[in-house]
Amino acid sequence: MSAIDRSSTVTGTVAVVGTGTMGQGIAQVALVAGHPVRLYDAAPGRAAEAAASIAARLDRLVEKGRLTAADRDAARARLHPARALAELADAELVIEAVVEDLAVKQKLFTELEEFVGDACLLATNTSSLSVTAVAGALRTPGRFIGLHFFNPAPLLPLVEVVRGSATDEAAAARAYATAAAWGKTPVRCADTPGFIVNRVARPFYAEAFRVYEERAADPATIDAALRESGGFKMGPFELTDLIGQDVNEAVTRSVWESFFHDPKFTPSLAQRRLVESGLHGRKSGRGWYGHGAGAAPPAPHTAESCRAPREVTIEGSLGPADVLRELIEEAGIKVVRDGDPADRKGRIELPGGALLRLSDGGAASDDESGTYIHFDLSLDYRAATRIVLAPADSAAPEDVDEAIGLFQALGKQVSVIDDVPGMIVVRTVAMIVDFALDAVARGVAGPEDVDTAMRLGVNYPGGPLEWAGRLGATWLECVLDALHYAYPTGRYGASPALRRRAAAERKVL
């Protein structure tokens, strides 16, 4: 990463237009960083109310020992509500956080141009609109930039610095340096639908909703799989209830429409029905789960205790799940090695004859070479507390019990779902990695910025490019090819970037 030229940072007045939750959060960030801050809202009295709310937050920071009383008093003295846009004339940076409406934003900035100086940096906090389009109505679009903060802005470190088609390099560098000077972690991003985070994160929600729509598993079990096996902090159902189903669905729909209805970004009908029903999540009292007084999310389906086998046979390599051999031996279960250790289609043979295999993107029932039970991916099998199984239709109850007992002996809870291609974590991670590689190849952002954005913006347990290195492009390509065979709509077609990486990987091998 190139060095930050802090001499180019904004040092004077920062103006924030729009005083909702996000606007207040951005204003607080600038204020604590030492800037004079002017607040403006088109609704009379809202700016003064927002200033009072920010002052109260500063009081709480003092109570928590995160701000001295002297610094609080100085910050309050720098905070000024404005009654008219003309009062923002001395601003060096104006950030808007108004309604996500292109016409509204364009009108605001064309009016601002009448008052602010030529050197003033203009920024939008939009999460779904084109930065280029917002700037299109300006006389001087070169000074216009996207500064996408994440909510709550005072707490979350990530800021996507989005360069529109007409943005000058100097303006982008100044915005980046300013966000860094505020203690944030900025990432550079081209103006593309969803930027980095909202583009690359779409499969995290979409694949879970697709598994639910196919009735392979219920929301609580899918959430548990992605938390306890995948290592994600929250599952997609609970997370969208927190975000707001209306907000999350609107972003998904916006990205899909911006990509001209590309099937890779197709929204979920089940989520759309929630939104149409007014079930928006926590803020409405119900979404995928109930959130009323005393309500608790349903527990995931968890298998009852089963007897562990005394011995298993491992044939070939288990690929990303190779560590399971060590875990099985550490649990006191005898492991017999068979076949070529380099065979990438490895499997675990149970005493009853059933075969366990890491999901390869297809359904367990499609493999006619034996009775298969697929298990899902974990990004850290040692740390995982849950394993998900998907038995083939031919698997007998005693076969499933043996598989359950094996993983329970490793200290894992086990959930059994219907036989769906790619299961839950496999298809989700494969799609996220493919989206990330495609974004890098298309110049949306560099690999380091993509990984940083996904770790900090949505709290992923690692970066997608890091996962690509650990899992292997060849394995990921095979997963997506199998999914594409099962669902020949184009949704799972591997990107050219992933195919090139897989080809290069095979040459090395």
Side-chain angles (χ1 to χ4, degrees):
M1 182 180 294
S2 59
I4 299 168
D5 181 8
R6 296 189 182 274
S7 66
S8 68
T9 61
V10 170
T11 58
T13 298
V14 173
V16 177
V17 180
T19 58
T21 301
M22 183 58 78
Q24 290 183 35
I26 295 170
Q28 180 180 328
V29 170
L31 196 64
V32 172
H35 294 270
V37 173
R38 298 193 187 279
L39 290 173
Y40 174 78
D41 198 291
R46 287 288 299 275
E49 293 174 4
S53 177
I54 294 170
R57 292 181 191 176
L58 297 178
D59 288 340
R60 289 195 289 273
L61 290 178
V62 172
E63 292 170 3
K64 295 177 180 179
R66 298 176 184 173
L67 191 69
T68 68
D71 286 341
R72 173 200 59 196
D73 295 342
R76 281 180 170 177
R78 295 193 302 270
L79 181 59
H80 306 285
R83 295 183 179 179
L85 286 177
E87 296 179 45
L88 311 184
D90 64 339
E92 289 187 27
L93 167 63
V94 180
I95 306 175
E96 69 79 17
V98 301
V99 63
E100 289 287 83
D101 183 288
L102 178 60
V104 171
K105 292 181 189 289
Q106 287 180 327
K107 182 176 183 294
L108 167 65
F109 283 110
T110 53
E111 290 177 355
L112 275 168
E113 275 194 312
E114 300 298 323
F115 302 111
V116 299
D118 292 341
C120 179
L121 191 64
L122 301 177
T124 175
N125 184 59
T126 185
S127 61
S128 60
L129 299 177
S130 163
V131 171
T132 302
V134 178
L138 299 180
R139 294 194 308 271
T140 54
R143 60 170 163 176
F144 194 83
I145 194 78
L147 280 177
H148 182 216
F149 290 77
F150 288 75
N151 193 30
L155 297 180
L156 295 187
L158 185 69
V159 177
E160 291 178 316
V161 181
V162 187
R163 184 174 178 179
S165 297
T167 303
D168 294 334
E169 176 58 35
R174 191 179 184 203
Y176 184 95
T178 299
W182 290 356
K184 295 300 181 181
T185 303
V187 291
R188 296 177 177 90
C189 175
D191 184 21
T192 185
F195 309 142
I196 301 173
V197 172
N198 279 329
R199 174 180 178 146
V200 177
R202 290 346 301 156
F204 180 71
Y205 312 106
E207 294 311 308
F209 298 162
R210 177 67 68 94
V211 171
Y212 166 74
E213 288 171 342
E214 293 187 37
R215 294 297 184 262
D218 62 284
T221 301
I222 296 171
D223 276 353
L226 284 158
R227 279 196 320 268
E228 300 169 30
S229 183
F232 294 88
K233 297 299 182 183
M234 296 182 73
F237 294 90
E238 58 188 338
L239 181 55
T240 52
D241 265 5
L242 178 63
I243 295 169
Q245 298 301 332
D246 53 336
V247 173
N248 181 264
E249 200 269 347
V251 172
T252 299
R253 185 168 296 275
S254 173
V255 172
W256 176 59
E257 291 173 349
S258 296
F259 278 114
F260 307 104
H261 295 182
D262 186 327
K264 289 180 177 291
F265 297 93
T266 302
S268 161
L269 180 59
Q271 187 182 35
R272 183 63 183 167
R273 291 292 180 258
L274 275 186
V275 174
E276 291 173 338
S277 301
L279 304 178
H280 294 167
R282 288 183 180 273
K283 61 187 177 184
S284 68
R286 184 165 183 80
W288 297 109
Y289 303 120
H291 298 283
H301 287 292
T302 302
E304 294 183 359
S305 179
C306 294
R307 181 179 299 175
R310 295 181 179 179
E311 175 181 306
V312 298
T313 299
I314 296 183
E315 303 175 5
S317 168
L318 300 179
D322 258 343
V323 71
L324 286 178
R325 178 185 60 80
E326 297 176 15
L327 298 180
I328 293 170
E329 290 177 331
E330 290 167 10
I333 298 171
K334 182 180 179 181
V335 174
V336 177
R337 298 303 301 265
D338 192 16
D340 182 0
D343 180 2
R344 290 179 169 270
K345 291 189 176 182
R347 58 194 189 180
I348 302 171
E349 184 175 351
L350 299 172
L355 304 168
L356 276 169
R357 176 181 289 169
L358 172 63
S359 172
D360 59 359
S365 300
D366 291 341
D367 197 325
E368 298 177 355
S369 64
T371 298
Y372 276 90
I373 301 172
H374 282 177
F375 60 90
D376 211 346
L377 176 68
S378 173
L379 294 170
D380 185 345
Y381 281 100
R382 281 193 175 277
T385 57
R386 183 176 299 271
I387 294 294
V388 179
L389 304 178
D393 294 339
S394 60
E398 52 269 28
D399 295 328
V400 179
D401 287 348
E402 275 193 329
I404 292 170
L406 174 64
F407 284 106
Q408 287 176 338
L410 309 187
K412 318 297 184 185
Q413 292 186 302
V414 178
S415 294
V416 180
I417 67 170
D418 196 22
D419 183 23
V420 61
M423 300 186 67
I424 298 170
V425 184
V426 163
R427 65 198 289 173
T428 299
V429 168
M431 286 290 280
I432 289 173
V433 172
D434 192 53
F435 273 40
L437 289 170
D438 183 61
V440 171
R442 293 176 183 271
V444 174
E448 184 177 346
D449 279 348
V450 169
D451 277 358
T452 297
M454 302 315 293
R455 285 195 302 266
L456 299 184
V458 277
N459 212 9
Y460 280 6
L465 280 299
E466 173 198 336
W467 297 339
R470 287 170 49 197
L471 299 173
T474 301
W475 182 79
L476 291 161
E477 181 185 45
C478 290
V479 166
L480 290 177
D481 284 346
L483 283 163
H484 180 64
Y485 179 81
Y487 307 99
T489 63
R491 178 186 182 97
Y492 299 102
S495 68
L498 176 58
R499 294 203 183 280
R500 287 196 301 271
R501 185 169 176 141
E505 188 176 272
R506 286 191 288 272
K507 288 181 180 179
V508 172
L509 296 175

